[in-house]
Every structure is written in C-alpha cells, then in structure tokens.
Amino acid sequence: MQFSVRPVQEGDTAHLMALHASVGWPRRSEAGWRWLINHPVRLEAGSPAGWFLVDADGTPCGHTGNFVQKFWRGDTVLFGTSAYSIMVSPTARGHSRLLLEPFSEQPGMFARYTFNANPKSSPLFQRHGLTAWPTTTHALKLAWRLDTLTCLAGRLLREIDSRAPRLVDPRQERLLNRRLAHPGPLVFPTGVDTLTDLSDRSPFADFWAAVRGEGRIVADRSPSTLRWRLSDPDQTTRPVLLAFKRDTEIRGYAMAMMAKANSIDPPVLEILDLMALRDEPRAIPALMQALLVNARSLGAAKVRIQVVNETLLRQLGPLAASARREGGWGHCHVRFEPGIEGVETWAPTPFDGDYQVCLRPVPIAAEALAAA
C-alpha cells in the first residue's frame, strides 16, 4: 500500500481524536485540539502543527505532533520543537519514518527533539539524526512514592493487563480517591508560597527577566506563555504553581499537575517545571520539599519529574538520592542545528518537552469519584 504525509490542519480535530482513541492514548476534546493547534508560538514560527501519515485514499493512519516553543539566549530568539503523539495504525506499521522525516528536517529550529520517547520508539529517533541527550541524564526519571500500597496495586493491575487484558475493564477508573476533587489545605516551608500573579508587570515577570539575563538557552517562561498553558480547556484541575521568594523577590518557581496515565495507574503529581536563579541554592530544595509535603493532600500516590538535567540533580542534593530511578531506555533525544552557540547551557525540564500537553489529566468527574 502507498502512503504519503501531509500537514495537520485546524479542521483535522476529528481525525486526531479518532487516531488517539484507536491506540488508547490520552484523548483531547475538539476544543483542546484547537487550543493546541493554534499555539501562538507555532503560528509565529510558521511551522506545521504536525503531520498525518495518509493512505492512498487520503485517510489518516498515523500522526506526529509538532510542539514549537520559543527559546531565548539573552536577547536572541530561537525556536525549538518537540515531536509528540507519534503513532501509526496497524495497517501502516513500519512507516513511522515517513512521519519523522519532515519533523527532523524542518527548517528554522535550533533543536528538534523528544523528551518523551517510549521504549519502542526510542531507537527510531537515532535513525533521523537525533542523539541521546542530555549526556548523563537522558534515561533518568525521578519518582518519590508517597502511598506504597496504591503504587503496588497499580503495578499489579498493569501485570494482569499485560498477561490477560480482558480481565481489566479499561472503562473503569481504578485507584481514585476523594482528595483529587477535594484537596486538603497546602502547607509550605519558609520562603515558599503559591504563585497567583502572572500579569506582565508581576514579580514573576521580574523573575523571568532575571532568568533571561543569565544568558543561558532557556525555553520561554514569560507570564503570557504561562497564561496560555493554564488556559488548556482539557484541564480537570489547575496546575500547582509555587514560588520561592527572598523578601518579595521571586528567586525560583515550580509547576506541577495531577495526572493519571490510564484507568489502572495511580494518580501522580507530575512536576512540569522546577528552576531557580543560578545564585539561589535554597530555592530548588525548598520547592521540591513543598511539592512532596503537599502531594498526598492533592490525592497523589507519588511525585515524579520525567526530565532531569545535571544542574537540577546537584541542586536537589539529598532529595534526588531519596528518589526511585525510573526510565532507563533513553527517552530524551535531540538534533541541534549546526553552528548554534550556547547549546551546552540548555538545562531542560519537562516544561521544554511535551508533557503538559500529553499527560492525561486526572479524572475527577463525580461519577468516577463515587467508585473511589
């Protein structure tokens, strides 16, 4: 059978929803897909929203998304892009290379990458010039268990599902708890508080200006970018935003969201971002401790960060040593455009990848919680 590739258009939401449903991946609503396709940075860069693999009749049978982000190196603007939701239906198996070619060859990007490759897809990226990176942490995820019994129950359900899938009903949500809909009060260590002001002249805007002033390559975390991220119509709970302050000055911040990978996995507080100014050693440990202390009140069975850089490992110190090491297959790969200065200064977190747009929000519908 002959296959070809075409760009994703705004009117393709039905195709996107059908493909994701066919492989059991987290589903977006029509409004959610419109929100993601019309990402302002992608429109600014003039890049496709992604590509479909289509058969001879023009029917989509594969997809890869193209999540374009703005980066800064001081006052210099760069664009980088992450491949996400890479899928091929059984009828087109073996043709995923046709989807990765336009992604890996697209112009105008200082980096094309994925930080979310699964064990099966990981080797594919190397064939398109993407190499494992960051050098020492590309296969590392850190996780802190808070509820061992619930985590073990999820592991048991996954084992049963792998051996006898018909015994586990995917329509029945397991391992829910009422704290997901009714979280307890948050308690913070000294210096940490919730971050609520994302206006263009806020203390967070000053923090972002200070981060940019350090001169490293960093994904755009301007107030407008965070406001766009928080406007995702498919969110079921608002992401947790925390700030570490010295007096009234923000010196570091964290973002996390409640997620549940599928109907049989436990709820997890997924850290989407964790960063601080270079000269503030207290910020990362304090923010991480705040997330760990409050995660159970939010309904999480564990806390996880799925992209880790060397700087963050050093900043976490003993907290990193207390975490379980997950991953192991090399989920982070990148292809840098030749001649780009300062790539060694890029210290990515999950914010730089596709996690926020691909994680499955934790379900908190009343009918689901009634079964908790």
Side-chain angles (χ1 to χ4, degrees), residues 34-314:
R34 287 199 304 268
W35 170 82
L36 185 53
I37 288 173
N38 289 301
H39 183 197
V41 175
R42 181 194 70 79
L43 297 175
E44 180 182 346
S47 302
W51 295 269
F52 280 128
L53 182 69
V54 296
D55 61 20
D57 296 325
T59 302
C61 49
H63 168 261
T64 184
N66 194 40
F67 185 46
V68 180
Q69 295 191 65
K70 183 182 292 185
F71 288 76
W72 294 86
R73 187 186 62 224
D75 293 327
T76 301
V77 173
L78 303 168
F79 291 102
T81 187
S82 175
Y84 70 93
S85 291
I86 303 167
M87 62 184 71
V88 174
S89 66
T91 58
R93 189 164 293 153
H95 291 82
S96 58
R97 67 183 187 281
L98 297 177
L99 287 168
L100 290 177
E101 285 173 3
F103 167 78
S104 61
E105 299 292 340
Q106 63 182 301
M109 301 293 149
F110 94 94
R112 302 98 171 163
Y113 56 93
T114 180
F115 293 154
N116 197 10
N118 60 43
K120 290 184 178 179
S121 68
S122 181
L124 298 175
F125 293 98
Q126 300 175 31
R127 304 174 192 173
H128 294 273
L130 282 77
T131 58
W133 185 88
T135 305
T136 60
T137 60
H138 60 86
L140 180 61
K141 301 170 185 270
L142 298 179
W144 294 262
R145 280 186 178 178
L146 306 175
D147 185 338
T148 301
L149 290 179
T150 298
C151 289
L152 291 177
R155 184 173 179 178
L156 176 61
L157 286 169
R158 287 194 299 274
E159 183 68 21
I160 294 172
D161 186 58
S162 67
R163 296 176 182 271
R166 294 182 181 180
L167 294 180
V168 180
D169 185 353
R171 297 168 297 178
Q172 182 182 352
E173 287 289 343
R174 311 293 183 96
L175 307 179
L176 295 171
N177 62 77
R178 297 186 182 279
R179 296 188 303 277
L180 297 169
H182 305 287
L186 302 183
V187 179
F188 299 121
T190 301
V192 176
D193 202 352
T194 53
L195 174 60
T196 57
D197 187 358
L198 293 175
S199 61
D200 291 337
R201 296 187 178 182
S202 61
F204 184 80
D206 295 335
F207 166 72
W208 166 238
V211 170
R212 275 184 53 189
E214 292 180 336
R216 48 178 158 158
I217 290 181
V218 60
D220 188 284
R221 290 163 168 89
S222 62
S224 61
T225 291
L226 265 61
R227 292 197 300 266
W228 178 80
R229 292 215 178 200
L230 293 175
S231 68
D232 183 349
D234 287 333
Q235 289 175 357
T236 58
T237 60
R238 184 178 175 85
V240 177
L241 286 175
L242 302 179
F244 178 85
K245 297 180 180 179
R246 183 189 294 172
D247 297 325
T248 60
E249 180 185 4
I250 295 177
R251 306 283 296 173
Y253 103 107
M255 177 190 291
M257 69 175 281
M258 288 299 305
K260 195 172 184 292
N262 50 54
S263 62
I264 62 176
D265 271 1
V268 177
L269 183 62
E270 297 278 5
I271 299 173
L272 301 174
D273 210 4
L274 188 58
M275 70 177 307
L277 296 174
R278 284 175 174 166
D279 62 350
E280 186 52 79
R282 299 176 299 164
I284 295 299
L287 289 164
M288 187 69 236
Q289 190 63 49
L291 292 170
L292 291 172
V293 166
N294 290 288
R296 187 183 287 271
S297 295
L298 296 169
K302 70 177 178 180
V303 179
R304 177 168 55 198
I305 183 165
Q306 301 207 50
V307 177
V308 183
N309 59 72
E310 294 180 22
T311 300
L312 185 58
L313 278 179
R314 291 195 300 270

